[in-house]
Amino acid sequence: MSDTPNNKSLFADETIDGQIATLNLGPTHPATHGIFQNVLTVDGEKILDSVQTVGYIHRAFEKLAERRPYNQITPITDRLNYCSSPINNMGWEMTMEKLIGVQVPKKVDYMRVIIMELARIADHLVCNSVIGVDTGALTGFTYMFQEREKIYELYEEVCGARLTTNIGRIGGFERDFSPAFHTKLKKFLQEFPKRFQEFDDLLLRNRIFMDRTIKAGPISAERAMDYGFTGPNLRAAGVDYDVRVMTPYSSYEDFDFEIPVGTHGDTYDRFCVRQEEVRQSLRIIEQAYKNMPEGKHFSPDVPEFYLPPKADVYTKMEALIYHFKIVMGETPVPVGEVYHAVEGGNGELGFHLISDGGRTPYRLQFRRPCFIYYQAYPEMIKGQTISDAVLTLSSLNVIAGELDA
Amino acid sequence: MSNLTNEAVLSRIQGKFGEAVRNAEEPYGLLTIEIEAAKAHDLIQWLKTDEVLKVSFLTLIGGAHFPNDKGREICVNYHLHSFVNNVRLRVRAFLPIENPSIQSITDIYVGADWQERESYDFFGIIFEGHPNLTRILNEDDMDYFPMRKEYHLEDATREDKDDRFFGR
């Protein structure tokens, strides 16, 4: 032992003989959830510098959208942030409703709020339980994934799909919530808070967890704003910006909820903000479910945007005409330019749509929060250790689908 | 929350930049102004520091291509947001396709870095003064800008498909 050349410096406080190493964190590293590469320059465990490469799964969604009729763009949005696809779906549908000037019934708004908040809970559960995994606590992950499974079952009741949901249509929903959905939602609302509290107890005041996450990957409010952070990552740094409150959409102004904010913008704060947001989402769902208005589950003004039920196409003239118009692409759309933003699972998700009146968008750009804040990552991990870098990455909740689009 | 209206914002900008601001409109309630490309950087810088407007958040930068608009084929959109006043606005500048260059705003917002790279990657917009204007999502050795309108999604030379009847 004593004659190994580096034996001494391994246990000393100084660096390993001033040797600087280059290390690839990803692509396809278990810690880079998805595919992105970080070339780290490390001095022992300490990160001196980092350069990221993205674009490994770039699928040209913005270009694809230019060839697709408006009603066929919803499935593209699923694949942005696939941890909370219903929010993306509905963000896009609301953008279209804004463009064509349709007011959806209040019931649709409330149904959307329920689905979107369920999606937010699912997104935050994945993120927070993965933070737990990266500190070595696998229990929370397996525990919370059972709860996420229940949310996926609820999606299944609404649209038949689980991950790439394609929930909803321009103008509302394909069908009303089924009786099974109501049963399952009630059960979820009853059981989930207790389970969630257990997860909270497991990590929030856990000595090891706190030691690992406090001061890991911090960012100040000023820097976060400068980088264009939004969502939980910005709120963890202390800025109470939330699209649901600043520019309410889908009747969010009807509900009573709070915006949790942190102070230091470190991993622990991001964890806490997400935990509290899950509780607030539950509050919103309960209010929306309790006060659900009567009425239709779709807007009767826009039958040109979703295919009528097949049985109707065979038996009703009007349904046949609409079916034909949709398939042949003769749906009238006004010329215009519209920007609509929703509070996605991890920040402001925006849709900038330029329409020339044609069958497909002239230009569609997504404001993808992950793309915007992942560029701050090198700054956040500079001077930290590699294990901190892994935690910072998972607490930023960078989803590769949204990063690359 | 303040009660700054779009008109108030517009008149304050016009008071400062006068003739350089053109074609102000409000599509779907979002104040949209066009600015001379040479003044875009100054306008965004001024908006950030102005003590009334306080437009200090960059939401999005994006490009668009209008091949039929001679001399102003490439459009650069800046979506800006004032958290204090809760006012959003869109600033756009038009550039000729022969020389689509505009001053980078990375010195104002550090987060503009990747977004400008993305716009360069897709539309070939040259952001002067950008520290590292390279492709970001596409391959490095690509020699064209794929989001421009002359590049179709499918190979236009293919003859084995006849999609005349499918609304394309």
Side-chain angles (χ1 to χ4, degrees), chain A residues 1-12:
Chain A
M1 276 295 280
S2 57
D3 51 21
T4 46
N6 283 334
N7 192 26
K8 180 177 70 70
S9 48
L10 267 177
F11 298 97

Side-chain angles (χ1 to χ4, degrees), chain A residues 152-215:
Chain A
Y152 275 20
E153 279 176 21
L154 287 167
Y155 295 167
E156 234 174 334
E157 285 302 325
V158 181
C159 67
R162 295 158 52 82
L163 186 75
T164 50
T165 49
N166 194 8
I167 290 187
R169 298 287 182 266
I170 296 160
F173 281 83
E174 190 192 0
R175 51 178 179 258
D176 207 345
F177 288 163
S178 65
F181 178 90
H182 289 274
T183 323
K184 283 183 176 171
L185 182 65
K186 272 182 206 151
K187 193 155 177 276
F188 177 78
L189 288 176
Q190 243 168 34
E191 290 173 0
F192 177 71
K194 193 165 158 280
R195 299 275 233 142
F196 185 66
Q197 187 56 45
E198 282 177 50
F199 175 66
D200 206 90
D201 295 342
L202 184 72
L203 291 178
L204 202 67
R205 306 302 299 171
N206 182 315
R207 177 81 183 271
I208 300 167
F209 184 77
M210 288 174 83
D211 279 355
R212 286 293 306 278
T213 53
I214 290 174
K215 290 185 184 165

Side-chain angles (χ1 to χ4, degrees), chain A residues 70 86 116 185 228 234 245 254 271 307 336 356 380:
Chain A
Y70 289 99
M116 284 194 287
L185 182 65
L234 179 66
V245 177
D254 294 0
F271 179 85
L307 289 170
D356 64 346
M380 292 166 80

Side-chain angles (χ1 to χ4, degrees), chain A residues 31 72 80 101 113 131 188 207 218-219 229-230 236 250 294-295 323 368 370 387 402:
Chain A
Q72 291 184 9
L80 290 172
V113 166
I131 297 176
F188 177 78
R207 177 81 183 271
I219 190 161
F229 273 40
T230 45
S250 200
E294 292 293 313
H323 182 96
R368 311 179 318 267
C370 288
S387 54
E402 192 174 88

